[in-house]
Amino acid sequence: MYPSRFGYESPKTVEEAVAILDAHGGEAKVLAGGQSLVPMLKLRFAAPEMLVDINSIEGLRYHRVDADGTIRIGALCRHEDLEEDDAVAKAVPTIAAAAPLVADPIVRTRGTFVGSVCHADPQGDWAAAMTALGGHIVAQGPKGKRDIPMKDFVIGPFQNTLAFNEIAVEAVIPAPKGVRVGNYLKLERRVGDFATASVAVALDMVGDTVANAGIALAGVGGRTINANDAASGLIGKKLTAENISSVAAAVAAAAEPRTDHRGSADYKRQIVKTFVERILTGLANSSQKAA
Amino acid sequence: MTSLYDEVQAAPGEGVPTRRVTIKVNGEDRTVDVEPRLLLAHLLRQGLKLTGTHTGCDTTNCGACTILFEGRPIKSCTMLAVQADGHSIETVEGLASASELHPIQEGFKEEHGLHCGFCTPGMMLAAKALLDKNDNPTEDEVRWALSGNLCRCTGYQNIVKSVLWAAEKMRAESK
Ligand SMILES: Cc1cc2nc3c(=O)[nH]c(=O)nc-3n(C[C@H](O)[C@H](O)[C@H](O)COP(=O)(O)OP(=O)(O)OC[C@H]3O[C@@H](n4cnc5c(N)ncnc54)[C@H](O)[C@@H]3O)c2cc1C
Ligand code: FES
Ligand code: FES
C-alpha cells in the first residue's frame, strides 16, 4: 500500500506552516506524529494535495505545569513523553493513567497528544481525557491565536472545529479548584487495540467534597461522549456509595454504544457503569486514606 | 540515486517531483532523491537494498518494520522517507559488526528466539531501544517493551528469554 502523490513541506515556524495551509485552501493537511494520518494516506482514505510536516518546528515538544497549576501540552509532545512522568502523575492522574494504554509502545514514540485530540477518533483516548478535564485547544491561524474549549472542539467522528488554515499548537488543562484526582480505565482486546469502552474521570476535591467533576467516554458512541452533565451530579457532594452508583447509572445512560465485533451495546454500557463505579470507589478509598 | 515507487533509477523520473534527502543510515550518510509519498520502509528495502527491515502488515500493527530513529523505535512503514532527512536511523544491518554478532543477536541464537525469523529484526530493534534505556529489565518490562511487535511463531517465550540473555551479557561486558 502506498499513498497517492502529494507535495511536502517541513516549515521551521508555526507562521510559515499556517501560511502554507492558507495558500492551499483546504487541500493541505498537518502531519504531526503520522500514526493516524499515514495509515489513512496508505489506505487512500485521505488524499491531500500538500502535507505540512510540523516536526521540524522548534519548541513544540513540551509539557509543563505552570506555577498556578495550569497544564500545557505542546503540539509535538509524544504519547511516550507523558508516561512515567512524576509531575504529570501528580498534576493530572487521568493522563498518567491513560498514557500507557494508548496504542502500543512503538506508536507512542511518534504519535502526539494534540494530534490525537485533533484526529477526534470516537475511540481515541486523549479526546476523552481532555473532555473530562475540561481542557481547551489553542489554535493558531493567520489572524493569531484563539482558544477552543473541548466541548466545542470535537463535534463528530473525526471532526474538529479548526479552520483549514489553523494549527492546534497547544492543549491546555485548567488548574484544579482544590486537589485534582482521577483515573482512566480502558477495556481493550489486546495491547495496541482501540477501546471497546473506556472511561476518563477527573475530579477536583476540597477535603472530601467534590468541587468539580468531569467524565468522558471513548469507544461507546459515534464520537467522544461528553458525560460532564451526568458527572456534575457529584458536585458539592461526598463520594458515598449512593452518590457513586447514581452517577454511574447516569453516565451509562449517556453512552451511545453500538453492537459490533468488540461486543454488544448492552455489554459496553455495563462496562461503562462498572468502570465509573470502580474509579470513583477507588478515589473515595484513597482520599479516605489520605485524610 | 532516485528511489520512486515503481523503480530505482539513476536519474529522477519524468514529471515526478522529488526531494533530495540525506539520511544517516547505520552511521553512513546516504543521499537519495525520493518522492514525498515514499515510505521509509520502502526506501530502505527497495532503494537502499537493506532488506533486513521487513514489512509484515503495512498497517502499523505488526512492528516487523521497526527501526531506530534517533535512538527510539518507530514503525518505518508509517514514516515518510522525506521525514528522515537530516536524521540518524539504525536498521538491523547496523547491529552486527563484520566479525561479531550483537549480544541481542547472540541472545536470539542462544535462546532460540526465532522460528521463521520474519518478526526478528523488529523484535531486536525494539529490544535494543529498551536495553539502551534500561540495562537490567524485568521479564515484565521486556514483555511490555515488545508489546508493539507481533510474532506468529514462537509464542514469545523464547523471545523474552533472548532479550534477558542479551541484557545479562551486555551488563557483564560493560563491567
Ligand atoms: C496500531 C495503532 C494503534 C493505535 N491505538 C490507539 C489507541 O488505543 N488509542 C488512541 O487514542 N489512539 C490510538 N492510535 C492512534 C494514535 O494515538 C495516533 O498517534 C493519534 O491518533 C494521532 O496523533 P498523531 O500525532 O500521530 O497525528 P497525525 O496522524 O499526524 O494526524 C492525525 C490527524 O490530526 C491532524 N493534526 C495532527 N496534529 C495537528 C495539529 N497540531 N493541528 C491541526 N491538525 C493536526 C492531521 O492533519 C490528521 O488529520 C493508534 C494508532 C495505531 C497505528
Ligand atoms: S509493516 Fe510496519 S507495522 Fe507492520
Ligand atoms: S519467528 Fe516467525 S513471526 Fe516471529
Side-chain angles (χ1 to χ4, degrees):
Chain A
M1 285 188 304
Y2 49 93
S4 51
R5 291 207 166 105
F6 48 75
Y8 172 87
E9 294 290 349
S10 53
K12 295 274 184 293
T13 65
V14 174
E15 290 72 18
E16 271 176 75
V18 166
I20 301 166
L21 289 176
D22 195 46
H24 285 270
E27 295 301 320
K29 263 201 158 306
V30 172
L31 174 64
Q35 301 303 294
S36 293
L37 184 53
V38 174
M40 288 205 310
L41 293 170
K42 292 207 283 183
L43 294 165
R44 304 207 179 187
F45 288 153
E49 176 182 297
M50 171 64 70
L51 279 193
V52 184
D53 182 355
I54 60 172
N55 287 282
S56 305
I57 301 177
E58 296 268 341
L60 290 180
R61 186 167 185 174
Y62 63 86
H63 61 280
R64 62 166 193 268
V65 185
D66 286 350
D68 71 353
T70 306
I71 291 111
R72 298 183 184 278
I73 298 175
L76 289 179
C77 174
R78 314 280 172 186
H79 304 318
E80 75 164 0
D81 300 345
L82 298 164
E83 267 181 276
E84 292 167 24
D85 180 316
D86 291 342
V88 171
K90 194 153 168 281
V92 252
T94 312
I95 286 188
L101 304 177
V102 178
D104 65 50
I106 305 182
V107 169
R108 289 201 293 275
T109 69
R110 284 302 288 174
T112 67
F113 181 94
V114 172
S116 162
V117 177
C118 289
H119 192 53
D121 187 327
Q123 289 175 304
D125 298 303
W126 291 135
M130 277 290 281
T131 302
L133 285 157
H136 67 263
I137 291 291
V138 181
Q140 184 168 337
K143 295 200 189 87
K145 291 184 181 173
R146 65 177 177 128
D147 291 348
I148 312 173
M150 274 309 288
K151 66 176 172 37
D152 306 323
F153 187 74
V154 175
I155 50 163
F158 307 101
Q159 277 178 299
N160 65 45
T161 50
L162 289 172
F164 72 89
N165 52 9
E166 280 181 320
I167 293 177
V169 289
E170 190 177 71
V172 182
I173 297 159
K177 305 174 186 159
V179 177
R180 179 176 280 134
V181 298
N183 204 348
Y184 191 84
L185 287 181
K186 171 175 175 178
L187 181 70
E188 54 182 7
R189 295 172 303 177
R190 53 172 170 76
V191 168
D193 193 21
F194 285 91
T196 299
S198 64
V199 175
V201 175
L203 303 181
D204 297 347
M205 304 292 294
V206 174
D208 58 2
T209 303
V210 177
N212 196 19
I215 299 182
L217 315 173
V220 288
R223 65 199 144 77
T224 305
I225 301 290
N226 180 338
N228 288 335
D229 276 349
S232 67
L234 285 171
I235 295 173
K237 297 191 184 146
K238 296 187 190 346
L239 292 173
T240 60
E242 205 188 340
N243 293 338
I244 290 174
S245 77
S246 82
V247 164
V251 173
E256 298 166 12
R258 290 173 73 169
T259 297
D260 64 13
H261 57 288
R262 287 187 172 83
S264 70
D266 283 347
Y267 170 68
K268 292 180 192 176
R269 199 183 293 282
Q270 189 59 39
I271 295 293
V272 168
K273 183 164 168 287
T274 305
F275 277 2
V276 174
E277 285 171 350
R278 205 174 278 175
I279 292 176
L280 292 175
T281 307
L283 296 175
N285 291 343
S286 51
S287 78
Q288 250 168 21
K289 251 184 252 154
Chain B
M1 183 187 91
T2 304
S3 187
L4 303 179
Y5 253 102
D6 4 29
E7 53 207 315
V8 176
Q9 45 189 45
E14 223 165 294
V16 182
T18 59
R19 274 173 73 118
R20 176 152 302 176
V21 297
T22 300
I23 307 171
K24 197 179 275 297
V25 184
N26 301 325
E28 195 187 324
D29 274 337
R30 306 293 296 263
T31 298
V32 197
D33 292 321
V34 297
E35 282 189 84
R37 65 175 175 155
L38 185 73
L39 300 165
L40 184 54
H42 295 151
L43 171 67
L44 291 170
R45 289 182 56 80
Q46 274 128 260
L48 301 178
K49 304 279 182 254
L50 293 170
T51 54
T53 301
H54 294 166
T55 52
C57 66
D58 214 359
T59 54
T60 327
N61 279 289
C62 75
C65 64
T66 301
I67 62 158
L68 300 185
F69 178 85
E70 300 292 353
R72 297 298 294 145
I74 62 143
K75 295 180 181 179
S76 63
C77 73
T78 311
M79 182 183 277
L80 304 172
V82 277
Q83 293 190 276
D85 188 22
H87 289 281
S88 161
I89 66 175
E90 188 176 349
T91 69
V92 70
E93 286 88 351
L95 282 182
S97 64
S99 58
E100 237 181 297
L101 290 180
H102 187 280
I104 294 174
Q105 293 170 312
E106 258 183 286
F108 274 73
K109 191 172 154 211
E110 290 299 321
E111 295 289 348
H112 303 280
L114 62 148
H115 290 185
C116 78
F118 198 84
C119 68
T120 316
M123 288 286 179
M124 292 200 292
L125 288 160
K128 180 158 192 293
L130 168 71
L131 298 182
D132 285 346
K133 272 180 116 173
N134 177 356
D135 69 354
N136 195 6
T138 62
E139 179 181 331
D140 235 31
E141 286 168 335
V142 172
R143 287 185 183 277
W144 187 247
L146 299 182
S147 60
N149 298 74
L150 300 182
C151 174
R152 297 290 82 164
C153 304
T154 63
Y156 302 100
Q157 207 67 22
N158 286 357
I159 295 179
V160 174
K161 283 191 201 157
S162 306
V163 177
L164 291 170
W165 189 98
E168 200 178 319
K169 167 121 198 227
M170 286 162 76
R171 282 199 306 278
E173 279 178 354
S174 68
K175 269 192 197 130

